Amino acid sequence: MKPTANAFWLRSPGQGEIREESLAAPAADEVLVRALYSGVSRGTETLVFRGGVPENQHATMRAPFQEGDFPAPVKYGYLSVGRVEEGPDALVGRTVFCLYPHQSRYVVPVSAVTLVPESVPAARAVLAGTVETAVNALWDAAPLIGDRIAVVGGGMVGCSVAAILARYPGVRVQLVDADPARADIARALGVDFALPGDALGECDLVVHASASEQGLVRSLELLASEGTVIELSWYGDRRIALPLGEAFHSRRLTVRSSQVGTVSPAGRVGRTYADRLALALELLADARFDALVTGECAFEELPEVMPKLASGELPGMCHRVRYDAE
């Protein structure tokens, strides 16, 4: 009898379900992984859950092990941590991270898993994909010692960027968000916090991750002359208006996109996707990142929980999904 697994599928926009799936036995260059935890990416994944992926982005937005097509039915996700049950001797029993959807067991190539360092708890390692995005953004941003920096948008990605920037010597870092409750998370990460109206200006660099038009406009306002906004937000099918008149040209401001789908040119020489992910996992040895996990549920509860995450009924940062041993 073939082994089976349970997987979370988006049946139709706004409605999810758990399906049983058959698994093939792993080949010599594959591993069988039993999931321990997975994470819900609130920005991208809840947009997928609502059916908000534009048709012209269906190919670009495919996850590495996605099944089905947008808008639905589709099996989508990319933050999974598990333990290798079958495979090469060097991997059996080891904890690994994989860009796999929410599923209790899965078979993937050995090259698709990254070892989680022993210094990183499995429960925290679900943040690896988000921290990887932050690493790529900072390769794009290339902050300098002494820079004045604002991170606008205190979600998972923005807070991950701020947490890494807190390690940079001599920089002024401020996390900016409209939700005053984000101040507690900023404090746990070791960075200053401000509401948008109170944020410090004359910034050399602003990293924008609020996914809102207001946040991007405020990011431009916070820049010093010749400053740069690194845009991390993905707006799906929404159109965004910006004030590119006024002083935009006279102050020689820059808005530059950053996207984790390609390795930043600044980090590309000698570094691969695997290197970038391994670096993200090393950074997660810092216990301050635990502040980004603000909710947890059992895998079986995901069909009821996901609509609440997508609507904002369940607020917070990373929502972790727990898989009990079978």
Side-chain angles (χ1 to χ4, degrees), residues 18 296-307 319 321-322:
I18 292 176
E296 185 175 285
C297 71
F299 170 67
E300 293 77 14
E301 299 173 313
L302 200 51
E304 291 73 43
V305 169
M306 191 66 84
H319 189 87
V321 180
R322 182 184 68 254

Side-chain angles (χ1 to χ4, degrees), residues 90-121:
L91 291 177
V92 172
R94 301 292 299 274
T95 301
V96 295
F97 177 86
C98 186
L99 298 170
Y100 207 88
H102 307 282
Q103 185 165 311
S104 59
R105 278 188 172 91
Y106 47 88
V107 175
V108 293
V110 169
S111 59
V113 300
T114 302
L115 284 172
V116 175
E118 292 184 2
S119 58
V120 179

